Amino acid sequence: VMRLRRRLANERHPDNPLSMGAMAVLGCLYRNGDLPVGELATAERVQPPSMTRTVNALEERGYVVRRAHETDGRQVVVALTEQGRTTLRADRARRDAWLARRLRDLTAEERETLRRAAPLLDRLANAD
């Protein structure tokens, strides 16, 4: 799994200056919508101060914006900008194209094995 992850990381869009950690934050926001910094930290399994630094860097570069929480004035919510969404989609498209080419080289039986294993790998990745 780690070797495949590293291989996919090598297929990232060449114009993308963001780290894998920063891209993971964009991906989390894309999947889950706007989130407070604390929830982002929990989702990405990092400490809140680390997430604050990542969000600061993403905001400075125009990938995310912060806004006040609608019901809790003590919280700040982070949202993707169009630039963040576009960057994430371009990066994913390039990696998805590489993976699709590699999957075509597998037999139908091998692809079925991967399809059946995917939910198990997802469960493992999200286990506490």
Side-chain angles (χ1 to χ4, degrees):
V1 170
M2 291 304 296
R3 281 194 304 266
L4 179 58
R5 181 196 172 282
R6 280 192 298 272
R7 185 62 177 95
L8 286 168
N10 287 336
E11 292 301 320
R12 295 180 62 217
H13 197 279
D15 295 335
N16 185 347
L18 299 177
S19 69
M20 291 298 290
M23 289 301 295
V25 171
L26 296 184
C28 185
L29 290 169
Y30 187 81
R31 284 186 308 279
N32 299 298
D34 304 352
L35 292 172
V37 173
E39 287 184 34
L40 269 173
T42 299
E44 292 302 310
R45 299 174 191 237
V46 299
Q47 293 299 312
S50 294
M51 183 56 67
T52 297
R53 285 190 295 276
T54 300
V55 168
N56 286 344
L58 289 169
E59 184 178 37
E60 286 172 12
R61 298 171 86 178
Y63 295 101
V64 300
V65 293
R66 294 180 214 228
R67 61 174 172 73
H69 191 282
E70 292 174 5
T71 59
D72 185 348
R74 298 167 297 164
Q75 289 193 42
V76 173
V77 175
V78 181
L80 275 177
T81 63
E82 192 54 41
Q83 176 183 344
R85 196 171 284 102
T86 299
T87 299
L88 181 70
R89 286 179 181 153
D91 197 69
R92 283 184 174 181
R94 184 178 170 94
R95 286 182 287 125
D96 288 352
W98 177 87
L99 186 57
R101 288 190 305 272
R102 296 302 142 323
L103 289 172
R104 281 193 297 270
D105 295 338
L106 300 179
T107 67
E109 183 179 321
E110 289 169 328
R111 285 191 301 272
E112 176 59 20
T113 299
L114 286 175
R115 188 195 62 73
R116 288 192 348 260
L120 300 174
L121 293 171
D122 191 50
R123 258 188 23 221
L124 287 171
N126 293 308
D128 289 330

